[in-house]
Amino acid sequence: MAHDRGVNLPRLVETFVEYLSADRGFSVHTIRSYRSDLTNLVAFAEERLATEPADLDLELLREWLWQSSQEGLAKATLARRAAASRAFSAWLAQNNYTELDAAARLKAPKADRHLPRVLNRDQMAEMLQSVESRASTADPVALRDRAIVELLYASALRVSELVGLSANDVDDSRLTVRVMGKGSKERVVPFGIPAQRAIADYLERGRPQLTAETGGAAPLFVGARGKRVSARTVYEVIAHLLADVPGSGGSGPHTLRHTAATHLLDGGADLRAVQELLGHASLGTTQLYTHVSTERLRESYRTAHPRA
């Protein structure tokens, strides 16, 4: 039986996103997006005097998505709005706020699959040389930034995983780092000798100048004020470095993740091994990088083969 009428929709949205965080382990970014999407949906519904959970029927949801498309929102955003409303509708039904899952048949345009920006080996080498040069000044922030870039590229981490690292997550003897990925799924990923040296140098000469905090649970990477470094700071560091690199596309830490994955596949790495390294739940997500590798192969062929 459904709950009594008079339930406040905005409050239900907040209860739902709390459930996503506490019980489903959704990322902060996804929760923020879903809250924004559903708040927009509730406002749209209220304009049509739809204020009860049961009022969020399939017709209203389709109208909301149609209006969203008329506003010029990207297909990826429309797909996310559809996903948010489907998840919310299913939760309402499961918790007896509605008798039916109205959004079960709701569809949205498929998101465009844009190939991610990837640096070639020479461009990546130049970036690494740049951070190496800056770190040679022994500036603690420059030492930190070199370690960040080396680890992002070596282990193909998400920025959220990088900033969440603690000192005891790094196993210097095994050259591995333990990260907490999406959905609170833990995985252990390798890194190489250059990243090991950069991290050791930062821990010895850089980090002590930024914070007095020690111990295994202390954050690995810290900001200028000694607190755990923010994702925004890492974005700014990488964006500044990428500003000097020719090419269009993303300018944040994800570009290094894309680059690492593509370079691994270019070098002959097994697709499932790369999937495990990246922490992808679906092999289909990882397969996007095979398209990048294939396109790079085509470009090399067109450039180098006399009969191309």
Side-chain angles (χ1 to χ4, degrees), residues 283-304:
L283 188 64
T285 307
T286 315
Q287 284 175 327
L288 174 64
Y289 297 105
T290 65
H291 300 315
V292 179
S293 289
T294 302
E295 182 56 38
R296 284 156 63 90
L297 177 60
R298 286 198 193 101
E299 183 60 36
S300 297
Y301 179 83
R302 286 192 293 263
T303 302

Side-chain angles (χ1 to χ4, degrees), residues 20-236:
L20 294 181
S21 175
D23 294 2
R24 296 291 302 279
F26 277 39
S27 71
V28 173
H29 175 74
T30 300
I31 289 171
R32 187 186 304 119
S33 298
Y34 273 30
R35 177 186 280 117
S36 174
D37 292 337
L38 295 174
T39 299
N40 183 277
L41 169 60
V42 168
F44 176 86
E46 288 177 345
E47 288 176 358
R48 285 149 185 79
L49 304 181
T51 58
E52 306 289 339
D55 295 333
L56 301 180
D57 58 20
L58 185 58
E59 183 179 353
L60 183 141
L61 293 171
R62 284 173 171 166
E63 185 184 355
W64 173 59
L65 283 182
W66 180 85
Q67 178 172 299
S68 298
S69 69
Q70 295 304 298
E71 293 171 358
L73 296 183
K75 286 185 179 180
T77 304
L78 295 176
R80 191 195 65 219
R81 284 194 167 187
S85 58
R86 280 195 300 269
F88 185 46
S89 176
W91 178 82
L92 289 173
Q94 290 164 5
N95 289 276
N96 297 320
Y97 289 106
T98 58
E99 294 180 1
L100 299 172
D101 179 0
R105 293 187 291 122
L106 185 67
K107 296 180 180 179
K110 290 185 178 180
D112 293 325
R113 297 297 296 272
H114 297 293
L115 294 181
R117 181 184 184 185
V118 170
L119 307 187
N120 62 40
R121 291 177 182 273
D122 288 341
Q123 289 172 327
M124 195 64 229
E126 287 179 13
M127 177 183 289
L128 294 170
Q129 180 57 47
S130 174
V131 293
E132 180 81 27
S133 177
R134 295 178 190 179
S136 66
T137 64
D139 175 74
V141 172
L143 289 166
R144 180 205 66 190
D145 291 350
R146 179 183 61 165
I148 284 175
V149 172
E150 286 281 8
L151 188 56
L152 281 173
Y153 177 55
S155 300
L157 302 184
R158 299 178 178 96
V159 65
S160 58
E161 295 167 348
L162 180 102
V163 301
L165 291 175
S166 296
N168 60 4
D169 289 326
V170 177
D171 188 331
D172 189 63
S173 61
R174 296 187 178 183
L175 298 185
T176 59
V177 60
R178 183 178 67 244
V179 300
M180 189 64 70
K182 286 187 174 182
S184 298
K185 293 181 179 178
E186 186 179 282
R187 68 185 192 282
V188 175
V189 294
F191 55 84
I193 298 297
Q196 179 196 37
R197 290 172 178 163
I199 293 170
D201 202 15
Y202 157 68
L203 289 176
E204 180 182 348
R205 299 194 296 148
R207 193 177 179 282
Q209 296 187 56
L210 297 173
T211 180
E213 188 176 359
T214 58
L220 177 62
F221 294 113
V222 296
R225 297 181 179 178
K227 303 298 183 182
R228 184 179 297 274
V229 72
S230 68
R232 181 172 181 173
T233 295
V234 178
Y235 268 95
E236 290 172 350

Side-chain angles (χ1 to χ4, degrees), residues 256-280:
L256 299 191
R257 179 171 160 87
H258 297 321
T259 298
T262 304
H263 288 181
L264 280 166
L265 290 170
D266 284 348
D270 176 74
L271 186 63
R272 289 200 177 275
V274 176
Q275 177 192 5
E276 186 174 344
L277 177 77
L278 295 173
H280 285 161

